[in-house]
Amino acid sequence: MAMTRTAEVNGITVSFDDAGIGPAFVLVHGHPFDRSMWRPQVASLTAAGYRVITADLRGYGRSTVVPGLTTLETFARDTFALVDHLAIDDEVVLAGLSMGGQIAMECYRLFPDRICGLVLADTFPQGETPEGHAHRNRVADQLLAEGMTGYVTENLSKMLAAYNVEAMPDVAAHVRTMMLNAPPAGAAAALRGRAERQDYQELLTKVSVPTLVVVGRDDEFTPVADAELMHRLIPDSTLAVIDGAGHLPNLEQPAAFNAALHAFLDQ
């Protein structure tokens, strides 16, 4: 059973779960969520003999909120500072969804020798456009001024496929709760940091570990075309498109998502 713990790393307090015994599998959540988004995967992976680490990123969940601007590099260094805190010396399998996928790419840039497998879910590698830069900073300003409620109302039916919001009320309620509970200052800092991110396309051509690219068939934020691009860029990668899902296939279709994970791990 997972036991919620905290660790002091990089000057902040990180809240995390550490469940199971076996090779280490680190799961990085997206914006504006928390580590609870990975519950279906924690249960499935621990049952399959993995040690699964999920943490609230700085600014999210129960981890320290640091206002201002949080770069993907900071998130990546926090992630492996926690791995160090847990004294995990072996290489880890690293998975991230959406912003978490971009953090995973940054982790691979910084710590390639510490990663033995990658899962990039519902994410994209391109650098920010001028329009995207302005939009992320504008949304950050909105979150700080108004809180999360309006953002949740506007984006819930894009986080899940719109047809799943009504069809899956428990999933929709979980996603809505995570979003509403996200600290506005932390979410805004992450948005400002992502606006400054680099382009990871060249990095992906140099990935030398087994990689699974996953995407929901009806993802509006990071459509299938983005996943196909990453699949083309990453040597010998595997692509899984999850039907009946939007931006959060791990929650919308957990059985299919987990099946793709296990097929990848069993290769």
Side-chain angles (χ1 to χ4, degrees):
M1 176 180 286
M3 182 176 67
T4 300
R5 296 161 58 184
T6 60
E8 305 299 317
V9 299
N10 291 352
I12 63 167
T13 300
V14 172
S15 186
F16 69 97
D17 293 319
D18 181 2
I21 299 171
F25 203 124
V26 179
L27 301 168
V28 185
H29 70 76
H31 161 90
F33 308 123
D34 58 49
R35 69 187 190 274
S36 73
M37 68 163 279
W38 293 117
R39 283 175 189 156
Q41 287 66 54
V42 173
S44 182
L45 289 166
T46 53
Y50 286 87
R51 176 184 181 183
V52 185
I53 293 95
T54 54
D56 291 336
L57 295 168
R58 70 165 63 202
Y60 294 92
R62 297 178 183 175
S63 292
T64 302
V65 176
V66 182
L69 185 154
T70 303
T71 63
L72 294 177
E73 179 174 350
T74 296
F75 285 130
R77 293 191 182 281
D78 288 348
T79 299
F80 273 87
L82 179 60
V83 172
D84 288 339
H85 173 83
L86 296 173
I88 298 172
D89 296 325
D90 295 332
E91 297 171 336
V92 304
V93 180
L94 179 66
L97 185 145
S98 192
M99 179 178 76
Q102 293 174 334
I103 294 168
M105 293 181 232
E106 178 66 12
C107 286
Y108 192 81
R109 183 183 76 84
L110 294 171
F111 310 108
D113 296 338
R114 305 191 64 185
I115 297 167
C116 61
L118 277 174
V119 180
L120 302 175
D122 299 83
T123 190
F124 64 100
Q126 299 95 319
E128 193 60 275
T129 63
E131 296 79 12
H133 187 281
H135 173 72
R136 289 191 195 278
N137 279 287
R138 188 165 57 248
V139 174
D141 291 340
Q142 176 189 341
L143 296 185
L144 291 174
E146 303 172 10
M148 298 300 297
T149 304
Y151 183 86
V152 175
T153 301
E154 181 181 348
N155 288 287
L156 181 63
S157 63
K158 300 175 187 175
M159 294 297 185
L160 305 178
Y163 51 79
N164 283 337
V165 175
E166 289 188 14
M168 301 177 176
D170 291 345
V171 175
H174 178 203
V175 173
R176 183 184 290 111
T177 298
M178 286 191 293
M179 295 173 74
L180 286 171
N181 287 345
L191 285 169
R192 297 195 200 284
R194 286 177 80 193
E196 307 299 329
R197 73 181 183 281
Q198 63 178 276
D199 191 298
Y200 293 106
Q201 292 179 84
E202 182 180 354
L203 174 73
L204 293 185
T205 68
K206 300 174 182 175
V207 170
S208 60
V209 299
T211 302
L212 171 65
V213 178
V214 194
V215 66
R217 175 78 67 186
D218 298 315
D219 190 335
E220 288 188 43
F221 285 122
T222 55
V224 172
D226 287 336
E228 292 173 337
L229 170 63
M230 293 190 294
H231 178 46
R232 290 195 300 272
L233 290 171
I234 302 170
D236 302 318
S237 59
T238 302
L239 174 64
V241 181
I242 307 297
D243 291 326
H247 193 54
L248 295 169
N250 68 303
L251 289 172
E252 295 169 85
Q253 300 293 341
F257 188 95
N258 292 346
L261 267 186
H262 290 294
F264 166 68
L265 293 168
D266 291 342
Q267 286 178 353

